[in-house]
Amino acid sequence: MNFPKLTLLGIGNSEALKFWNTNCLVEGNGQKLLLDCGFTIKPALRDLDVALCDIDAVYISHVHGDHVFGLERIGFEFRYTYHKSALLFIEPELETVIWDQCLKGSMGSSRTDAQGLRDWFDVRLIQDHQFEYAGCRFETFPTP
């Protein structure tokens, strides 16, 4: 049996410059999923010789900067460099929050028409606090 591989991409907080943000990479069934995507995601992946274009999907747990600020980079590079959209797994209540409070300011008017989260990402809303990807079943839970 092949088990998915989990790699810690960082262990630091939002101020981390040496140990990168606390994000993880899950690899399985030929797919790569980021568990959260902080602003240090590119150097963290580079340190593992993984290119941003090798990422297939992203799961965002919550909207602190060290977990979400790398989404802008993924959105821009995937659209303009790789001509595709990354899958984005999120809880339904985060869809508006991620766009309105994190990404809209820089990504909302990149063309002459209005943009939204679904113009940049292939959004998959998580149902019943669980989803499957990369040969894994993930169960999410709210925290206070």
Side-chain angles (χ1 to χ4, degrees):
M1 173 184 285
N2 285 332
F3 289 101
K5 177 182 174 184
L6 175 70
T7 304
L8 296 176
L9 296 174
I11 57 169
N13 62 18
S14 62
E15 302 301 319
L17 294 176
K18 183 175 181 182
F19 298 112
W20 309 133
N21 300 143
T22 301
N23 304 158
C24 299
L25 176 65
V26 176
E27 298 174 82
N29 293 343
Q31 299 170 312
K32 290 181 175 64
L33 168 72
L34 289 178
L35 300 179
D36 287 325
C37 186
F39 69 93
T40 63
I41 198 64
K42 280 191 76 170
L45 289 171
R46 179 206 57 216
D47 287 354
L48 293 174
D49 292 323
V50 176
L52 198 59
C53 66
D54 295 330
I55 301 302
D56 302 297
V58 179
Y59 162 75
I60 297 296
S61 64
H62 63 288
V63 293
H64 288 161
D66 53 331
H67 295 265
V68 73
F69 283 170
L71 278 180
E72 178 189 64
R73 179 65 4 227
I74 286 181
F76 280 121
E77 286 193 31
F78 272 56
R79 175 184 274 185
Y80 296 119
T81 303
Y82 311 124
H83 309 288
K84 63 180 183 176
S85 296
L87 292 173
L88 178 61
F89 290 97
I90 53 174
E91 294 288 343
E93 62 271 15
L94 291 183
E95 184 172 13
T96 301
V97 175
I98 287 172
W99 181 251
D100 288 346
Q101 296 180 23
C102 300
L103 299 174
K104 185 177 181 179
S106 60
M107 300 174 86
S109 60
S110 71
R111 294 182 179 176
T112 56
D113 54 335
Q115 297 286 295
L117 188 65
R118 291 174 182 265
D119 294 307
W120 292 92
F121 297 93
D122 182 358
V123 176
R124 306 289 173 93
L125 298 179
I126 297 168
Q127 301 299 316
D128 301 318
H129 301 289
Q130 58 187 339
F131 69 100
E132 292 186 18
Y133 196 77
C136 293
R137 180 172 175 237
F138 297 90
E139 294 184 28
T140 67
F141 54 90
T143 58

